[in-house]
PDB file of all heavy atoms in Angstrom:
ATOM      1  N   ALA A  57     232.343 -83.472 -20.870  1.00 92.00           N
ATOM      2  CA  ALA A  57     232.743 -82.155 -20.453  1.00 92.00           C
ATOM      3  C   ALA A  57     234.063 -81.732 -20.997  1.00 92.00           C
ATOM      4  O   ALA A  57     234.895 -82.564 -21.454  1.00 92.00           O
ATOM      5  CB  ALA A  57     232.820 -82.118 -18.884  1.00 92.00           C
ATOM      6  N   GLU A  58     234.361 -80.426 -20.951  1.00 89.00           N
ATOM      7  CA  GLU A  58     235.593 -79.892 -21.514  1.00 89.00           C
ATOM      8  C   GLU A  58     236.831 -80.641 -20.950  1.00 89.00           C
ATOM      9  O   GLU A  58     236.879 -80.913 -19.746  1.00 89.00           O
ATOM     10  CB  GLU A  58     235.681 -78.419 -21.210  1.00 89.00           C
ATOM     11  CG  GLU A  58     236.874 -77.753 -21.876  1.00 89.00           C
ATOM     12  CD  GLU A  58     236.873 -76.277 -21.661  1.00 89.00           C
ATOM     13  OE1 GLU A  58     237.527 -75.850 -20.671  1.00 89.00           O
ATOM     14  OE2 GLU A  58     236.305 -75.541 -22.455  1.00 89.00           O
ATOM     15  N   HIS A  59     237.727 -81.008 -21.845  1.00 89.00           N
ATOM     16  CA  HIS A  59     238.930 -81.727 -21.434  1.00 89.00           C
ATOM     17  C   HIS A  59     240.086 -81.400 -22.396  1.00 89.00           C
ATOM     18  O   HIS A  59     239.858 -80.830 -23.466  1.00 89.00           O
ATOM     19  CB  HIS A  59     238.640 -83.242 -21.453  1.00 89.00           C
ATOM     20  CG  HIS A  59     238.089 -83.749 -22.708  1.00 89.00           C
ATOM     21  ND1 HIS A  59     236.771 -83.657 -23.101  1.00 89.00           N
ATOM     22  CD2 HIS A  59     238.695 -84.387 -23.806  1.00 89.00           C
ATOM     23  CE1 HIS A  59     236.586 -84.185 -24.286  1.00 89.00           C
ATOM     24  NE2 HIS A  59     237.744 -84.617 -24.743  1.00 89.00           N
ATOM     25  N   ASP A  60     241.285 -81.754 -22.014  1.00 87.00           N
ATOM     26  CA  ASP A  60     242.485 -81.478 -22.873  1.00 87.00           C
ATOM     27  C   ASP A  60     242.477 -82.389 -24.068  1.00 87.00           C
ATOM     28  O   ASP A  60     241.925 -83.502 -24.058  1.00 87.00           O
ATOM     29  CB  ASP A  60     243.737 -81.720 -22.055  1.00 87.00           C
ATOM     30  CG  ASP A  60     243.973 -80.657 -20.958  1.00 87.00           C
ATOM     31  OD1 ASP A  60     243.512 -79.541 -21.193  1.00 87.00           O
ATOM     32  OD2 ASP A  60     244.569 -81.009 -19.961  1.00 87.00           O
ATOM     33  N   SER A  61     243.126 -81.918 -25.097  1.00 83.00           N
ATOM     34  CA  SER A  61     243.252 -82.709 -26.333  1.00 83.00           C
ATOM     35  C   SER A  61     244.458 -83.624 -26.238  1.00 83.00           C
ATOM     36  O   SER A  61     245.470 -83.248 -25.702  1.00 83.00           O
ATOM     37  CB  SER A  61     243.407 -81.725 -27.487  1.00 83.00           C
ATOM     38  OG  SER A  61     243.525 -82.425 -28.724  1.00 83.00           O
ATOM     39  N   PRO A  62     244.317 -84.817 -26.791  1.00 82.00           N
ATOM     40  CA  PRO A  62     245.506 -85.718 -26.881  1.00 82.00           C
ATOM     41  C   PRO A  62     246.488 -85.147 -27.955  1.00 82.00           C
ATOM     42  O   PRO A  62     246.102 -84.212 -28.672  1.00 82.00           O
ATOM     43  CB  PRO A  62     244.922 -87.057 -27.361  1.00 82.00           C
ATOM     44  CG  PRO A  62     243.644 -86.717 -27.984  1.00 82.00           C
ATOM     45  CD  PRO A  62     243.132 -85.461 -27.346  1.00 82.00           C
ATOM     46  N   PRO A  63     247.675 -85.675 -28.040  1.00 84.00           N
ATOM     47  CA  PRO A  63     248.642 -85.180 -29.047  1.00 84.00           C
ATOM     48  C   PRO A  63     248.085 -85.129 -30.428  1.00 84.00           C
ATOM     49  O   PRO A  63     248.325 -84.175 -31.191  1.00 84.00           O
ATOM     50  CB  PRO A  63     249.815 -86.124 -28.953  1.00 84.00           C
ATOM     51  CG  PRO A  63     249.707 -86.709 -27.543  1.00 84.00           C
ATOM     52  CD  PRO A  63     248.247 -86.729 -27.246  1.00 84.00           C
ATOM     53  N   ALA A  65     244.439 -86.714 -32.705  1.00 94.00           N
ATOM     54  CA  ALA A  65     243.237 -87.546 -32.624  1.00 94.00           C
ATOM     55  C   ALA A  65     242.248 -87.161 -33.723  1.00 94.00           C
ATOM     56  O   ALA A  65     242.257 -86.019 -34.203  1.00 94.00           O
ATOM     57  CB  ALA A  65     242.569 -87.416 -31.277  1.00 94.00           C
ATOM     58  N   GLN A  79     237.756 -74.004 -28.294  1.00 90.00           N
ATOM     59  CA  GLN A  79     237.872 -72.713 -27.629  1.00 90.00           C
ATOM     60  C   GLN A  79     237.412 -71.541 -28.525  1.00 90.00           C
ATOM     61  O   GLN A  79     236.842 -70.587 -28.063  1.00 90.00           O
ATOM     62  CB  GLN A  79     239.330 -72.507 -27.203  1.00 90.00           C
ATOM     63  CG  GLN A  79     239.853 -73.514 -26.214  1.00 90.00           C
ATOM     64  CD  GLN A  79     239.086 -73.458 -24.898  1.00 90.00           C
ATOM     65  OE1 GLN A  79     239.089 -72.463 -24.247  1.00 90.00           O
ATOM     66  NE2 GLN A  79     238.452 -74.554 -24.566  1.00 90.00           N
ATOM     67  N   ILE A  93     240.603 -83.594 -34.249  1.00 93.00           N
ATOM     68  CA  ILE A  93     240.275 -82.924 -33.027  1.00 93.00           C
ATOM     69  C   ILE A  93     241.268 -81.781 -32.833  1.00 93.00           C
ATOM     70  O   ILE A  93     242.486 -81.991 -32.916  1.00 93.00           O
ATOM     71  CB  ILE A  93     240.250 -83.876 -31.856  1.00 93.00           C
ATOM     72  CG1 ILE A  93     239.148 -84.869 -32.044  1.00 93.00           C
ATOM     73  CG2 ILE A  93     240.076 -83.102 -30.524  1.00 93.00           C
ATOM     74  CD1 ILE A  93     238.952 -85.897 -31.008  1.00 93.00           C
ATOM     75  N   PRO A  94     240.744 -80.596 -32.542  1.00 89.00           N
ATOM     76  CA  PRO A  94     241.674 -79.433 -32.385  1.00 89.00           C
ATOM     77  C   PRO A  94     242.597 -79.676 -31.162  1.00 89.00           C
ATOM     78  O   PRO A  94     242.221 -80.276 -30.202  1.00 89.00           O
ATOM     79  CB  PRO A  94     240.710 -78.252 -32.169  1.00 89.00           C
ATOM     80  CG  PRO A  94     239.476 -78.867 -31.616  1.00 89.00           C
ATOM     81  CD  PRO A  94     239.355 -80.227 -32.269  1.00 89.00           C
ATOM     82  N   SER A  95     243.811 -79.088 -31.288  1.00 87.00           N
ATOM     83  CA  SER A  95     244.757 -79.265 -30.206  1.00 87.00           C
ATOM     84  C   SER A  95     244.515 -78.152 -29.162  1.00 87.00           C
ATOM     85  O   SER A  95     245.384 -77.309 -28.925  1.00 87.00           O
ATOM     86  CB  SER A  95     246.182 -79.218 -30.760  1.00 87.00           C
ATOM     87  OG  SER A  95     246.400 -78.012 -31.458  1.00 87.00           O
ATOM     88  N   GLU A  96     243.350 -78.226 -28.571  1.00 88.00           N
ATOM     89  CA  GLU A  96     242.956 -77.274 -27.512  1.00 88.00           C
ATOM     90  C   GLU A  96     241.883 -77.962 -26.629  1.00 88.00           C
ATOM     91  O   GLU A  96     241.363 -78.986 -27.024  1.00 88.00           O
ATOM     92  CB  GLU A  96     242.400 -75.992 -28.135  1.00 88.00           C
ATOM     93  CG  GLU A  96     241.183 -76.289 -28.980  1.00 88.00           C
ATOM     94  CD  GLU A  96     240.705 -75.076 -29.819  1.00 88.00           C
ATOM     95  OE1 GLU A  96     241.573 -74.323 -30.286  1.00 88.00           O
ATOM     96  OE2 GLU A  96     239.525 -74.907 -29.977  1.00 88.00           O
ATOM     97  N   ARG A  97     241.584 -77.355 -25.536  1.00 92.00           N
ATOM     98  CA  ARG A  97     240.511 -77.929 -24.686  1.00 92.00           C
ATOM     99  C   ARG A  97     239.218 -77.904 -25.505  1.00 92.00           C
ATOM    100  O   ARG A  97     238.986 -76.974 -26.276  1.00 92.00           O
ATOM    101  CB  ARG A  97     240.382 -77.143 -23.412  1.00 92.00           C
ATOM    102  CG  ARG A  97     241.547 -77.366 -22.462  1.00 92.00           C
ATOM    103  CD  ARG A  97     241.374 -76.683 -21.131  1.00 92.00           C
ATOM    104  NE  ARG A  97     240.232 -77.157 -20.372  1.00 92.00           N
ATOM    105  CZ  ARG A  97     240.175 -78.302 -19.671  1.00 92.00           C
ATOM    106  NH1 ARG A  97     241.226 -79.078 -19.613  1.00 92.00           N
ATOM    107  NH2 ARG A  97     239.081 -78.601 -18.971  1.00 92.00           N
ATOM    108  N   HIS A  98     238.421 -78.923 -25.323  1.00 94.00           N
ATOM    109  CA  HIS A  98     237.189 -79.032 -26.084  1.00 94.00           C
ATOM    110  C   HIS A  98     236.207 -79.949 -25.343  1.00 94.00           C
ATOM    111  O   HIS A  98     236.523 -80.594 -24.397  1.00 94.00           O
ATOM    112  CB  HIS A  98     237.484 -79.644 -27.486  1.00 94.00           C
ATOM    113  CG  HIS A  98     238.078 -81.048 -27.375  1.00 94.00           C
ATOM    114  ND1 HIS A  98     239.411 -81.251 -27.163  1.00 94.00           N
ATOM    115  CD2 HIS A  98     237.521 -82.262 -27.466  1.00 94.00           C
ATOM    116  CE1 HIS A  98     239.675 -82.543 -27.122  1.00 94.00           C
ATOM    117  NE2 HIS A  98     238.525 -83.186 -27.259  1.00 94.00           N
ATOM    118  N   SER A  99     234.953 -79.928 -25.788  1.00 95.00           N
ATOM    119  CA  SER A  99     233.899 -80.757 -25.251  1.00 95.00           C
ATOM    120  C   SER A  99     233.104 -81.346 -26.434  1.00 95.00           C
ATOM    121  O   SER A  99     233.227 -80.891 -27.572  1.00 95.00           O
ATOM    122  CB  SER A  99     233.031 -79.978 -24.301  1.00 95.00           C
ATOM    123  OG  SER A  99     232.384 -78.882 -24.949  1.00 95.00           O
ATOM    124  N   ILE A 112     243.076 -92.150 -31.255  1.00 93.00           N
ATOM    125  CA  ILE A 112     244.013 -91.308 -30.571  1.00 93.00           C
ATOM    126  C   ILE A 112     245.438 -91.900 -30.788  1.00 93.00           C
ATOM    127  O   ILE A 112     245.672 -93.065 -30.562  1.00 93.00           O
ATOM    128  CB  ILE A 112     243.759 -91.219 -29.065  1.00 93.00           C
ATOM    129  CG1 ILE A 112     242.367 -90.601 -28.801  1.00 93.00           C
ATOM    130  CG2 ILE A 112     244.859 -90.478 -28.326  1.00 93.00           C
ATOM    131  CD1 ILE A 112     241.967 -90.658 -27.375  1.00 93.00           C
TER     132      ILE A 112
END
Side-chain angles (χ1 to χ4, degrees):
E58 188 176 88
H59 54 279
D60 291 329
S61 181
Q79 299 296 300
I93 295 179
S95 57
E96 60 190 38
R97 290 185 62 80
H98 61 277
S99 60
I112 298 173

